Amino acid sequence: ERNGHPHTKLTLGNHTTRIIKQVNTSLGRNRKKYRIATQLITGHCALNKYLYTIQRSNTKACPDCHEHVETVGHFLGLCPANSANRAEYFGEYYFMISELFKCNHITNIVN
């Protein structure tokens, strides 16, 4: 038996209600940003792990670092190829995906 979507639980952690409220109140009128937020939270987005799952890519590997599976958590929080941009935008070089969503408003992540 499966208990929900593991990527969503990992992303939202214990902050599900707060983050979903942010998505609905801050992005509810912007369909494109709402869709991006939903894709990042669920992991169903144009990154290689998901694309491989739906047979749209022949690899799960990250095209930037070629070291790890390209997931939302890797892309936003752990990929060494993106660390400088991440530090400039979020003030941290590396962090877990749940920390990103815990410490940043959804609009900062999606923008």
Side-chain angles (χ1 to χ4, degrees):
E1 177 183 339
R2 291 186 64 164
N3 292 327
H5 193 282
H7 182 274
T8 302
K9 288 182 179 184
L10 177 68
T11 302
L12 300 179
N14 296 327
H15 307 282
T16 302
T17 304
R18 179 181 58 79
I19 295 169
I20 297 302
K21 185 177 179 182
Q22 286 179 2
V23 170
N24 289 331
T25 58
S26 300
L27 303 175
R29 293 194 173 121
N30 187 324
R31 188 173 181 167
K32 181 179 178 181
K33 289 183 180 182
Y34 189 92
R35 184 178 68 244
I36 291 169
T38 302
Q39 291 172 344
L40 292 175
I41 290 168
T42 63
H44 295 179
C45 54
L47 296 174
N48 277 344
K49 181 173 190 268
Y50 180 67
L51 295 175
Y52 182 83
T53 301
I54 63 169
Q55 301 177 348
R56 298 285 187 237
S57 174
N58 60 1
T59 181
K60 295 179 187 180
C62 175
D64 295 325
C65 73
H66 308 285
E67 296 177 24
H68 301 281
V69 174
E70 187 185 35
T71 63
V72 173
H74 173 75
F75 178 75
L76 290 178
L78 300 172
C79 182
N82 298 323
S83 64
N85 291 335
R86 197 168 31 249
E88 182 180 328
Y89 197 73
F90 295 113
E92 296 287 336
Y93 285 98
Y94 297 98
F95 47 79
M96 299 304 295
I97 189 72
S98 59
E99 288 298 309
L100 171 68
F101 280 82
K102 175 183 170 187
C103 299
N104 293 277
H105 195 279
I106 192 69
T107 54
N108 293 339
I109 298 167
V110 172
N111 289 330

